[in-house]
Amino acid sequence: MAKISALSGFPEWLPAERIVEQHVIDTFRRVAELHGFSGLETRAVEPMSQLLRKGEIDKEVYVLRRLHADDEGPDAEQADPDRQLGLHFDLTVPLARYVLEHQNDLAFPFRRYQVQKVWRGERPQDGRFREFYQADLDVIGQDTLPVHVEAEVAIVMAEILAALPLPGFTIHANNRKLSEGFFRSIGVEDTQAALRCLDKLAKIGPDAVAALLREEAAASAEQAQACLAFAGIRTGDEGFADQVRALGGHGELMEEGIAELADVVRRVNTAVPGVCVADLSIARGLDYYTGTVFETFVEGHASLGSVCSGGRYDRLAADNRHGYPGVGLSIGLSRLVSRVLSAGIASATRPVPTCVLVAVADEEARGHSEAVATALRRRGIPAEIAPTAAKFGKQIRYADRRQIPFVWFPGAGDEEHAVRDIRSGEQVPAEPSTWEPPAEDLRPRVVRADG
Amino acid sequence: MAKISALSGFPEWLPAERIVEQHVIDTFRRVAELHGFSGLETRAVEPMSQLLRKGEIDKEVYVLRRLHADDEGPDAEQADPDRQLGLHFDLTVPLARYVLEHQNDLAFPFRRYQVQKVWRGERPQDGRFREFYQADLDVIGQDTLPVHVEAEVAIVMAEILAALPLPGFTIHANNRKLSEGFFRSIGVEDTQAALRCLDKLAKIGPDAVAALLREEAAASAEQAQACLAFAGIRTGDEGFADQVRALGGHGELMEEGIAELADVVRRVNTAVPGVCVADLSIARGLDYYTGTVFETFVEGHASLGSVCSGGRYDRLAADNRHGYPGVGLSIGLSRLVSRVLSAGIASATRPVPTCVLVAVADEEARGHSEAVATALRRRGIPAEIAPTAAKFGKQIRYADRRQIPFVWFPGAGDEEHAVRDIRSGEQVPAEPSTWEPPAEDLRPRVVRADG
């Protein structure tokens, strides 16, 4: 037997923990479908030519090779980037490819959610996972996509996060047009460089960012200070607009960004009160974004970083007929679940779906116990049958070890059946066709530690 | 833009098709949980030393390599089979590893279901998938596992298959002890070879198998004929027992197999009438199995081969303290779903979750439409809002294109709201707080083509 040990960076859960993860996935799906998003699943692999387009060669992609490929002569698949395969590192590259591939079969705006594992070969000692779930929501237009979709996708995410067993969270929003318009209007022309510098604010602090702005964005000392003051603006309503103007920002692009951001903050807070703030420090490094950008933080868990990020991008994909603008948000689901579990934020009420263990008096009567279990299951009550006809005390201990709340004792012939709550020891007469467990015991539930 | 095209062997579905696949997964999960099976998910990768143990070097494993691994000097990970990673090709190898790794945290018998993608680098031109879902049910004991579990797991699978939108299906059962006992009692000592020969019966026919039995299992012409007669036995009840004895089979091992198989056929048919037959041609090549073996065929789709296979194995895993016997069955879920879709056996009633499109009279009134949609969603009715305030005719055509059954026209101020069924054109007054769609329209359903 080969050595058995956990693989660093590849998290796996015990059954009770998996119930928490499944609950998070189910909640995501339920809310997304209520809002009319279609569930999509793409293959786990993409051609390396897709994964590395836009020159993203810094991505730690896992490349695949068939074990026996070498036996088949010169390896054409490995040499051709359109045929060499790698595991996807996010769900956005596959979405772009899927939309182009199936554009004639989709109705736009295309609304999809996708919850799948992604893989990144990063050093696990950085506290990063190499295999983890992402949960994405995107709306993709064909050639055009109305601006109000930016608020809409954030509202769906806010409803999802509010339905999860989490402490409070805040969605921080900014707008690329606002940032770029402001930088230009104070004379900082390399707006991408300025964004990349500000993106480091939380990591390296204001002094280092000021130095970086002068070095990399060719900002004067005064301009660097104005950028930092800009990034310090944070309001729960449209108050940010006057503060930006007071810093000397002006112009059409900036005012367009202000109007869009004010609209997002107002709409999201109307739908889920108090969850959205305008936070002009949100930069998100990627060149990719063209409108609203979002990051989301969980109260008391700043060290997690943003648990849900994204925004508006006008060029998800394009071919020679159409362009595909989109708005998308993505939850780093495994990272979030891992924290929920390790910090004891929430847990499952039991590790098994089973509500009732049906005892077996003797092996000849197993069929009788099976009939009881079948009657319970027909009414949606999860039931299993004791594995052996041991003494009842041993069968009760078995239920206790599996944390099954009820043990059923079938009555032989005309005898009454009885069911025992093994937590309280209370035993009552019961009929397989009518008995109901308390609603909170029917299935394992995921509950917050603080209530 | 790199070339976009489907990858042979990596199936992907359009939204309406994905609803069918999701329905199959949901059904599997619902029934498995009703029977007290815990949902498990393991990482997609295993060390190559695990994947290739038992000398399974014929498996077409996908080996992983980090794109930047080469930059980091001599590649220790690639050289060490305990550190080199591959994608799992089934869910049994990971289960064995998981059980050993977590034995102190699991309660035995451990009941788990697992629905996950697996990868095999086989030539896609054989009509095989390279990435596909498997859906597994296993019960794992520590050191011992009662024989009645063999019927139990088959019953759960029968209930799952019966709940799926499939034509009729039949679970074919045999028993290793019965086969081996029979072969020995007629003087064929190399029972593994005999099983491997009989496993080819459907593929190469009886004459070729007879020749093979003489060649590879050292059978006489008479013995080969007896083996073929044995493999021809097929009964829906315990009638098989006398037929086997009439062929000259006898002995303790064979009678033990007969008793076990009779019990399986009787119990499964009691739970789901008529689905289980004793079929002594079922051999399943793997040395692995030690008791009941199963294969499952769908009526009218023999070309699919077995859609659900497995059985009893006494040595899933072992360390120097414990052995772990198990009973498991596995559905080739993607292959099954692919056939359901391509043969038009079942389909989704619509491609989107949305039940109601709320129209928008003008962009200023979008908030009003949002309030209607929110009221509907609060009562579990999936709703989305028209993307633009186009003319109502255009909004209705948008709903039609997305196959959303109802369009809601919000009343301004004190005006009445109205909802239109765009299939019939019927429009009625409605209140967002009370209106209910017909139950069959609430969510997309998966329905059989024949009713």
Side-chain angles (χ1 to χ4, degrees):
Chain A
M1 174 62 58
K3 191 183 64 181
I4 298 286
S5 60
L7 277 180
S8 176
F10 294 87
E12 271 184 347
W13 311 125
L14 288 170
E17 297 170 328
R18 170 64 182 161
I19 289 172
V20 174
E21 183 176 72
Q22 184 70 63
H23 171 78
V24 172
I25 293 170
D26 289 346
T27 302
F28 190 97
R29 174 181 168 194
R30 178 176 56 79
V31 178
E33 290 184 350
L34 266 179
H35 284 265
F37 285 72
S38 289
L40 191 69
E41 187 152 300
T42 55
R43 62 195 189 218
V45 307
E46 297 291 337
M48 290 302 287
S49 56
Q50 282 290 323
L51 293 172
L52 302 182
R53 76 196 173 95
K54 298 186 177 172
E56 296 181 276
I57 50 163
D58 56 327
K59 285 283 190 289
E60 277 286 10
V61 177
Y62 277 112
V63 187
L64 300 188
R65 176 175 61 82
R66 288 186 299 124
L67 185 60
H68 294 297
D70 301 339
D71 312 345
E72 296 161 10
D75 196 335
E77 282 178 27
Q78 289 302 100
D80 178 352
D82 283 345
R83 292 177 66 197
Q84 191 187 29
L85 302 178
L87 293 173
H88 57 212
F89 54 78
D90 71 7
L91 303 177
T92 305
V93 171
L95 175 63
R97 190 263 312 155
Y98 184 93
V99 164
L100 284 182
E101 187 176 333
H102 299 288
Q103 53 185 300
N104 297 327
D105 296 306
L106 302 174
F108 294 95
F110 176 50
R111 302 157 73 85
R112 86 90 173 76
Y113 73 91
Q114 191 167 350
V115 183
Q116 265 180 270
K117 291 276 182 69
V118 303
W119 292 266
R120 295 183 188 174
E122 306 191 358
R123 301 211 158 267
Q125 54 263 47
D126 299 340
R128 297 213 171 105
F129 292 144
R130 291 183 151 193
E131 170 176 320
F132 56 99
Y133 268 115
Q134 280 199 338
D136 282 25
L137 274 183
D138 288 83
V139 179
I140 309 297
Q142 195 169 49
D143 299 321
T144 60
L145 188 67
V147 68
H148 57 75
V149 172
E150 294 164 45
E152 192 192 346
V153 175
I155 287 169
V156 184
M157 266 303 185
E159 290 188 10
I160 288 168
L161 290 166
L164 293 179
L166 289 177
F169 65 93
T170 311
I171 299 178
H172 295 238
N174 193 0
N175 187 294
R176 262 307 148 84
K177 295 174 191 168
L178 167 52
S179 298
E180 293 184 13
F182 175 81
F183 297 149
R184 281 208 192 114
S185 71
I186 63 163
V188 175
E189 291 303 325
D190 191 347
T191 60
Q192 293 295 339
L195 282 169
R196 275 195 303 274
C197 296
L198 287 177
D199 201 28
K200 302 198 170 111
L201 195 52
K203 242 184 224 162
I204 63 176
D207 291 348
V209 168
L212 215 56
L213 279 164
R214 300 188 61 178
E215 210 170 291
E216 301 197 350
S220 68
E222 199 185 358
Q223 286 168 335
Q225 283 314 311
C227 287
L228 282 173
F230 174 84
I233 294 172
R234 189 178 297 197
T235 66
D237 57 19
E238 49 243 59
F240 69 88
D242 285 342
Q243 296 186 35
V244 174
R245 293 181 194 118
L247 285 175
H250 58 86
E252 204 176 323
L253 185 66
M254 193 192 87
E255 290 298 333
E256 195 180 324
I258 285 177
E260 289 182 10
L261 182 57
D263 194 57
V264 163
V265 172
R266 186 179 51 73
R267 279 184 197 264
V268 177
N269 282 330
T270 300
V272 186
V275 298
C276 188
V277 298
D279 176 350
L280 308 197
S281 74
I282 301 299
R284 299 208 60 68
L286 300 169
D287 293 357
Y288 199 66
Y289 294 106
T290 51
T292 314
V293 287
F294 299 100
E295 294 194 349
T296 309
F297 300 93
V298 177
E299 226 169 74
H301 295 274
S303 65
L304 261 182
S306 173
V307 297
C308 174
S309 312
R312 165 90 182 210
Y313 40 89
D314 278 335
R315 292 169 293 272
L316 170 75
D319 58 16
N320 46 26
R321 289 178 300 160
H322 295 290
Y324 293 91
V327 176
L329 273 166
S330 175
I331 295 182
L333 194 141
S334 294
R335 212 170 141 72
L336 188 61
V337 168
S338 176
R339 176 60 65 96
V340 165
L341 295 171
S342 67
I345 295 168
S347 58
T349 50
R350 60 177 188 256
V352 292
T354 318
C355 176
V356 178
L357 177 79
V358 183
V360 177
D362 55 71
E363 280 303 335
E364 283 65 50
R366 180 167 290 276
H368 189 40
S369 298
E370 276 169 3
V372 171
T374 300
L376 293 172
R377 287 185 205 116
R378 285 222 172 102
R379 294 187 298 111
I381 302 168
E384 60 180 86
I385 301 151
T388 62
K391 287 186 181 150
F392 279 158
K394 207 173 157 193
Q395 295 188 45
I396 292 170
R397 280 197 299 282
Y398 172 75
D400 191 40
R401 206 165 64 242
R402 270 174 73 70
Q403 299 182 50
I404 299 168
F406 295 96
V407 175
W408 189 285
F409 301 101
D414 287 345
E415 278 176 41
E416 243 180 3
H417 297 257
V419 64
R420 178 188 298 202
D421 182 332
I422 65 166
R423 297 159 301 187
S424 66
E426 191 193 13
Q427 185 165 325
V428 295
E431 265 302 307
S433 58
T434 56
W435 178 82
E436 291 278 353
E440 69 267 23
D441 286 332
L442 181 62
R443 291 169 183 287
R445 287 170 305 120
V446 173
V447 291
R448 290 272 302 274
D450 55 13
Chain B
M1 173 59 61
K3 192 184 62 182
I4 298 286
S5 60
L7 277 180
S8 177
F10 294 87
E12 272 183 346
W13 311 125
L14 288 170
E17 297 170 327
R18 170 64 182 161
I19 288 172
V20 174
E21 182 177 71
Q22 185 69 64
H23 172 77
V24 171
I25 293 171
D26 288 347
T27 302
F28 190 96
R29 175 181 168 194
R30 177 176 58 77
V31 178
E33 290 184 351
L34 267 179
H35 284 265
F37 285 72
S38 289
L40 191 69
E41 187 153 301
T42 55
R43 62 195 190 218
V45 306
E46 298 291 338
M48 290 302 288
S49 57
Q50 283 289 322
L51 293 172
L52 302 183
R53 75 196 175 97
K54 299 186 177 171
E56 294 182 277
I57 49 163
D58 57 327
K59 285 283 189 288
E60 277 286 9
V61 177
Y62 277 112
V63 187
L64 299 188
R65 176 176 60 83
R66 289 187 299 123
L67 185 60
H68 295 296
D70 301 340
D71 312 344
E72 297 162 9
D75 196 337
E77 281 179 27
Q78 289 302 100
D80 177 353
D82 283 344
R83 292 178 65 197
Q84 191 187 31
L85 301 178
L87 294 173
H88 58 212
F89 53 79
D90 71 7
L91 303 177
T92 305
V93 171
L95 175 63
R97 191 263 312 154
Y98 183 93
V99 164
L100 284 182
E101 187 176 332
H102 300 288
Q103 53 185 302
N104 296 326
D105 296 305
L106 302 174
F108 294 94
F110 176 50
R111 302 157 73 84
R112 87 88 174 78
Y113 72 90
Q114 190 167 351
V115 183
Q116 265 179 272
K117 291 276 181 70
V118 303
W119 292 266
R120 295 182 189 175
E122 306 192 358
R123 302 213 156 266
Q125 54 263 48
D126 299 341
R128 296 213 172 106
F129 292 142
R130 292 182 149 191
E131 170 176 318
F132 56 99
Y133 268 115
Q134 280 199 337
D136 282 25
L137 274 183
D138 288 82
V139 178
I140 309 297
Q142 194 169 49
D143 299 321
T144 61
L145 188 67
V147 69
H148 57 75
V149 173
E150 294 163 46
E152 192 192 347
V153 175
I155 287 169
V156 184
M157 267 304 185
E159 290 188 10
I160 288 168
L161 290 165
L164 293 179
L166 289 177
F169 64 92
T170 312
I171 298 177
H172 295 240
N174 193 1
N175 186 293
R176 262 308 148 83
K177 296 174 191 169
L178 166 52
S179 298
E180 293 184 12
F182 175 81
F183 297 149
R184 281 208 193 114
S185 71
I186 64 163
V188 175
E189 290 303 325
D190 191 346
T191 60
Q192 293 295 340
L195 282 169
R196 276 195 302 276
C197 296
L198 287 178
D199 201 30
K200 302 197 171 108
L201 194 51
K203 241 184 226 163
I204 64 177
D207 291 348
V209 168
L212 216 55
L213 279 164
R214 300 189 61 176
E215 210 170 292
E216 300 197 352
S220 68
E222 199 185 358
Q223 287 167 334
Q225 284 313 313
C227 288
L228 283 173
F230 174 85
I233 295 172
R234 189 178 297 197
T235 66
D237 57 19
E238 49 243 59
F240 69 88
D242 284 342
Q243 297 185 36
V244 174
R245 292 180 195 118
L247 286 174
H250 57 87
E252 203 176 323
L253 186 65
M254 193 192 86
E255 289 298 333
E256 195 180 325
I258 285 177
E260 289 181 9
L261 182 56
D263 193 58
V264 163
V265 172
R266 186 179 50 73
R267 279 184 197 265
V268 176
N269 282 330
T270 301
V272 185
V275 299
C276 188
V277 298
D279 176 350
L280 308 197
S281 75
I282 301 299
R284 300 210 57 69
L286 299 170
D287 293 357
Y288 198 67
Y289 294 105
T290 52
T292 314
V293 287
F294 299 100
E295 295 194 348
T296 309
F297 300 93
V298 176
E299 224 167 77
H301 295 273
S303 65
L304 260 182
S306 173
V307 298
C308 174
S309 311
R312 165 91 182 206
Y313 41 88
D314 278 335
R315 291 170 294 272
L316 170 76
D319 58 17
N320 46 26
R321 291 178 298 161
H322 295 291
Y324 293 91
V327 177
L329 274 166
S330 175
I331 295 182
L333 194 141
S334 294
R335 213 170 140 73
L336 189 60
V337 167
S338 176
R339 176 61 64 97
V340 165
L341 295 172
S342 67
I345 294 168
S347 58
T349 50
R350 61 177 187 255
V352 291
T354 318
C355 176
V356 178
L357 178 79
V358 183
V360 177
D362 55 71
E363 280 305 333
E364 283 64 51
R366 180 167 291 276
H368 190 41
S369 299
E370 277 169 5
V372 171
T374 301
L376 293 172
R377 287 184 204 116
R378 286 222 173 102
R379 294 187 297 112
I381 302 167
E384 60 181 86
I385 301 151
T388 62
K391 288 188 181 149
F392 280 159
K394 208 176 157 193
Q395 294 189 44
I396 291 169
R397 280 197 299 281
Y398 172 76
D400 191 40
R401 207 165 63 241
R402 272 175 73 71
Q403 299 182 49
I404 300 168
F406 295 96
V407 176
W408 189 284
F409 301 101
D414 287 344
E415 277 177 42
E416 243 178 2
H417 297 257
V419 63
R420 179 190 297 202
D421 183 331
I422 66 167
R423 297 159 300 187
S424 66
E426 191 194 11
Q427 185 165 324
V428 295
E431 264 303 306
S433 58
T434 55
W435 178 81
E436 292 276 355
E440 69 267 23
D441 286 332
L442 182 62
R443 292 168 182 286
R445 289 170 304 120
V446 173
V447 293
R448 291 273 302 274
D450 55 13

